[in-house]
Amino acid sequence: MKRRDFGQYCGLARALELVGERWGLLIIRDLAIHPRRYTDLLDGLPGIPSNVLATRLKEFEQSGIVERQIAPAPRRGVVYALTPLGQELEPAIHALGRWGTTQLGEPRPGEIVTPESLAMSLRAAFDPSGATDVTASWEIHTPDFAVHAVVTNGKLDAGVGPAPSGADLVITLQPEDLPSYLELVQAIKCGLVKISGPRKLLDTFTRVFASRGPSTP
């Protein structure tokens, strides 16, 4: 596949040449959560053709955005990870994701929510200015996966799976809920989630994660 060339000496044009091809930003989104094997990326991006994934990863490696690393113990093999240059894309992904969330509307048939997309939505919605005095941890459970958010003195660690040291509050969505960021916030506001832990931390969660996110209908 030939990379798009806009023929313009412009930062936005160059950025789109490097990361704007189909599936590119979603690959970067997933790698921003944690390094992943090729097969993990393939499984986590349903619908991506294997040859497209291979091409994008090769392009990103050539551009210095992605690198291969040896997986730490107890895992084995090679994983793909963002380089420092690639990590600089995360704020742009947050901003683009917040804007895109306002355009979602109702889920279309066949659309899914992945744990990586929900974790990235939490990062994008996080308001550091409202969390300077907050130290707490949350887990969000769905029938298919869990994600965590750990805030320590205003700094966030959000990712896939349970919180490393356990969660102060566990938020469980009902089986029929689509666990997108919008649905999560709406379910919390409507009292449609189950919680395990201090209820006041549910209010804290809404304060530090919902204030920068898009409004819900």
Side-chain angles (χ1 to χ4, degrees):
M1 298 182 183
K2 185 178 180 180
R3 183 178 296 181
R4 189 181 329 182
D5 183 353
F6 294 105
Q8 295 187 28
Y9 190 68
C10 163
L12 179 58
R14 188 72 76 247
L16 290 175
E17 288 172 0
L18 293 173
V19 301
E21 296 289 352
R22 183 169 173 81
W23 293 100
L25 287 177
L26 294 184
I27 295 170
I28 292 170
R29 177 203 67 189
D30 285 8
L31 292 180
I33 298 298
H34 54 75
R36 309 198 77 190
R37 300 174 187 271
Y38 180 88
T39 52
D40 294 335
L41 286 167
L42 199 60
D43 291 341
L45 294 167
I48 188 172
S50 180
N51 66 313
V52 172
L53 176 58
T55 298
R56 294 291 167 266
L57 290 172
K58 182 178 180 180
E59 291 171 347
F60 290 157
E61 285 187 88
Q62 292 172 342
S63 300
I65 296 170
V66 168
E67 64 182 0
R68 301 186 196 200
Q69 298 177 351
I70 301 299
R75 303 177 68 192
R76 296 180 179 179
V78 173
V79 294
Y80 291 89
L82 294 181
T83 64
L85 178 65
Q87 292 168 6
E88 292 177 3
L89 287 164
E90 187 165 344
I93 292 175
H94 290 175
L96 189 60
R98 284 194 294 268
W99 180 84
T101 300
T102 67
Q103 308 301 310
L104 279 176
E106 293 297 319
R108 292 178 292 199
E111 287 190 326
I112 65 169
V113 175
T114 68
E116 288 77 16
S117 68
L118 182 55
M120 186 59 74
S121 293
L122 291 174
R123 292 186 185 184
F126 179 64
D127 181 9
S129 66
T132 54
D133 60 343
V134 174
T135 295
S137 57
W138 298 266
E139 290 177 9
I140 300 166
H141 288 207
T142 79
D144 299 318
F145 59 78
V147 300
H148 66 267
V150 180
V151 177
T152 306
N153 295 324
K155 295 183 178 180
L156 171 66
D157 171 29
V160 176
S165 300
D168 299 318
L169 182 71
V170 176
I171 303 170
T172 302
L173 288 160
Q174 302 303 314
E176 65 271 16
D177 291 333
L178 180 68
S180 67
Y181 173 80
L182 284 177
E183 293 293 332
L184 171 63
V185 172
Q186 189 70 9
I188 289 174
K189 290 182 176 180
C190 295
L192 300 178
V193 296
K194 295 180 180 179
I195 63 171
S196 176
R199 176 167 288 276
K200 66 179 182 179
L201 287 180
L202 193 62
D203 296 332
T204 304
F205 179 91
T206 303
R207 172 165 59 89
V208 300
F209 288 101
S211 56
R212 290 183 68 198
S215 60
T216 54

